[in-house]
Amino acid sequence: MRVNFNKKFRKRGIRFSPAICALAILLSGLNAQEQSLIEVDASVDKALITIGDRITYSLIIRHDADLHVEQPGPGANLGQFEIKDYSIIDPVELDGRIVQQFDYQISVFDTGRFVIPPFPVAFASSDTARDYQIIQTDPIEITVESVLTAEDNEIRDIKPPQNVPLDYTGWLIIGGIGLIVFAIAMGAFYYWRYRRRGEPLFRKETIRPAHEIALEELFVLSQEWPQMLENGEHKILFSRLSEILRRYLENRFFIKAMEETTFEIAVSLEELELDENDQSCLISVLEFSDLVKFAKYVPHQNEVVKQLEEAQNFIDATKLVFEAVEHKIEVREDEQESGLMQAVVQHNNTNSNTPLKQKTDIK
């Protein structure tokens, strides 16, 4: 069907130019082509819940195969909702595009209307590109109702008076005094015993380097991981590996790695200006550990060996080593004599009121 736009708009006093129409169609085509590079959708399985119910929040990303998309992690910001579980659906290819799905099990313990904020997804034109762009999903509103019924909200009668309990204040005072006396007696006894043996009462604690502690824990884990993997304790295995690396980061670089997510640790390491290979090695181990802990991924034996080796390589590459430097100063006899003369002259200058008698013959 052909539509004459000029006749249609002349009735309203508007002249529709064919050139303007062609330009609008071209711009809309370019905009549609740009927007078709990546699409993100978010949905929930239910929008009306009660307190404590879990919701499945699904994030679906559709993008071209050449596009690099930053994978959302388990520490996403979903507003007032708590993330209880996190799973990754295997990506599929549909009509030449990659479709990825990430499911979050979330919950909230309050009533009212809550909004899941827009979920940001970072993407770039290629794996080596640095100019990341952000695309966001639409916010989703969730209504949370109380589990109480109208009968539960009714005012109840006042409970009857209770009997006053016995006063144990006196017994507590006597017991506290007895404990203090016992503690003083035991302290005097241990002090007398250590003095008798010639041992110090308080021992100095040797502070070990962070890499020694981490490598020792890593060695113990390397001896136990085959049995843990056989017993199906792969989640505990990679939890221990992640904690070893996070404690090492806290003791070595003084960052709060135990309280930070993998993404926040990566940002902290960039501020420290560490080597990029070392950073990528550490982040790879932490992301693989998150995959096993939160996405229920079952690792193979060769993958476990690889992650343990990369963890050890990172610790060896970033450990702090102290080297003892000894300075040896040799003084000749003539330098000793000249130093002695300089000391005498300096003493005479500083004590001009009480001159020092010197002998004319110095052997």
Side-chain angles (χ1 to χ4, degrees), residues 254-277:
F254 306 101
I255 61 177
K256 298 180 180 180
M258 297 295 292
E259 303 175 4
E260 294 180 348
T261 62
T262 302
F263 177 78
E264 292 172 343
I265 291 175
V267 175
S268 300
L269 293 179
E270 289 179 358
E271 296 176 355
L272 296 175
E273 298 182 356
L274 291 181
D275 185 76
E276 293 183 359
N277 295 330

Side-chain angles (χ1 to χ4, degrees), residues 49-92:
I49 62 172
T50 57
I51 295 179
D53 289 349
R54 291 196 176 188
I55 307 172
T56 301
Y57 177 80
S58 299
L59 175 66
I60 301 176
I61 304 175
R62 304 179 182 88
H63 61 89
D64 291 348
D66 298 334
L67 204 66
H68 173 70
V69 179
E70 195 72 21
Q71 176 175 312
N77 178 19
L78 298 180
Q80 297 182 357
F81 290 87
E82 298 180 4
I83 299 176
K84 299 299 183 180
D85 200 358
Y86 169 75
S87 60
I88 302 176
I89 309 300
D90 293 336
V92 296

